[in-house]
Amino acid sequence: MSPDMITEDRYSGLFAKQAGSPTLRAIYRAAYGSDYPEELDPFGFVTRADLDRVGELLALPEGATMADIGCGRGGPGLFVARASGARLTGVDVVPGAVVDAALRSRGLGVPDARFTVGSFTATGLPAASCDGVMSVDTLWMVVDKEAAVAEIARVLRPGGRFVLTTWEPTHADHAELLRAAGFEVLVREETPRWLERQQAVYSGVLAARAVLEAELGVDGAAVLIREAEETPDVLADTPRLLLAAHHP
């Protein structure tokens, strides 16, 4: 990917129009089948299996506090909070996504969830306020990953866990990044069938370019189309990983 694509708010225009694109949902449905959590209306490559695994590794008891960093429109964090009974705070850099997430929380059965504007390096959360932190497919967009992981360590209570999905290019080592911030890495694994499914989504996006531009607007669709054009060439050497780390 081009360096100028990697900004934490790069999907802000797309989030504003995503709910009005049945074509985009159909592309994900075709690629993921029953593993697509359609009721969450997520954006990205998250699956039911991913979210079940995130919840399993967070291991949060009912009433625990959790944060979803880079929460977007809220679906993945709400899924995990609903399953565990944890109290959720979602954080995202896109104000419109945060507003949408708060509105959707009641319909997804988590009416006490709250959502706030913040970034991976400046969440705005109090120190030692979370029993667990999750993040789905967001850390790759953060330029200062050391600062991001340090921020997660700051907001986690001792004994808490950080569970995330991200892509790992050949020059990166997320396990080492976490260890350098004082975490104990518990799990590092590729997510199931990520490559074939991601390629299928990109193929679908390019085949439906004109329809997506009509539904999302030219500007809203542009980042998605550009990603579908540029990313497939690097995917084979950039696995999508799930990592879980313990904060001592």
Side-chain angles (χ1 to χ4, degrees):
M1 291 182 189
S2 300
D4 61 320
M5 293 177 67
I6 304 177
T7 56
E8 205 172 337
D9 63 348
R10 65 184 296 238
Y11 295 111
S12 56
L14 181 58
F15 283 147
K17 298 288 188 68
Q18 179 191 346
S21 180
T23 301
L24 187 57
R25 286 192 293 277
I27 289 168
Y28 283 107
R29 192 186 309 120
Y32 288 88
S34 61
D35 207 16
Y36 173 52
E38 186 166 0
E39 73 279 9
L40 306 179
D41 197 19
F43 173 71
F45 303 98
V46 69
T47 66
R48 294 185 192 281
D50 292 339
L51 294 174
D52 287 341
R53 184 69 168 140
V54 169
E56 173 191 359
L57 290 168
L58 282 174
L60 293 171
E62 186 170 358
T65 57
M66 64 172 286
D68 179 9
I69 310 302
C71 65
R73 297 172 61 238
L78 290 166
F79 182 101
V80 174
R82 182 177 62 190
S84 65
R87 292 176 287 132
L88 170 68
T89 298
V91 178
D92 201 273
V93 295
V94 180
V98 168
V99 171
D100 198 10
L103 292 172
R104 300 175 73 228
S105 62
R106 286 182 171 80
L108 290 174
V110 194
D112 61 345
R114 71 181 190 96
F115 296 89
T116 184
V117 176
S119 71
F120 228 121
T121 56
T123 63
L125 300 174
S129 60
C130 297
D131 297 303
V133 175
M134 63 177 280
S135 181
V136 174
D137 297 351
T138 304
L139 183 60
W140 71 273
M141 291 182 281
V142 180
V143 174
D144 192 345
K145 292 178 175 56
E146 289 81 7
V149 174
E151 174 70 351
I152 301 306
R154 184 187 71 82
V155 305
L156 272 174
R157 294 190 178 107
R161 289 185 177 184
F162 177 34
V163 182
L164 71 151
T165 60
T166 193
W167 289 267
E168 186 170 275
T170 54
H171 60 79
D173 185 336
H174 287 88
E176 182 54 36
L177 175 73
L178 290 162
R179 292 188 190 102
F183 285 93
E184 175 192 0
V185 177
L186 305 175
V187 172
R188 179 191 180 278
E189 62 193 25
E190 291 192 26
T191 58
R193 298 176 54 198
W194 71 271
L195 180 57
E196 65 181 91
R197 288 165 155 179
Q198 194 167 341
Q199 289 172 329
V201 168
Y202 288 149
S203 295
V205 166
L206 295 178
R209 178 196 301 254
V211 178
L212 289 171
E213 288 178 339
E215 292 177 356
L216 298 169
V218 173
D219 291 340
V223 66
L224 182 61
I225 292 169
R226 185 179 175 193
E227 182 178 318
E229 290 173 334
E230 297 187 0
T231 304
D233 288 344
V234 303
L235 279 183
D237 296 321
T238 313
R240 183 173 182 268
L241 300 179
L242 184 147
L243 298 104
H246 170 263
H247 181 49

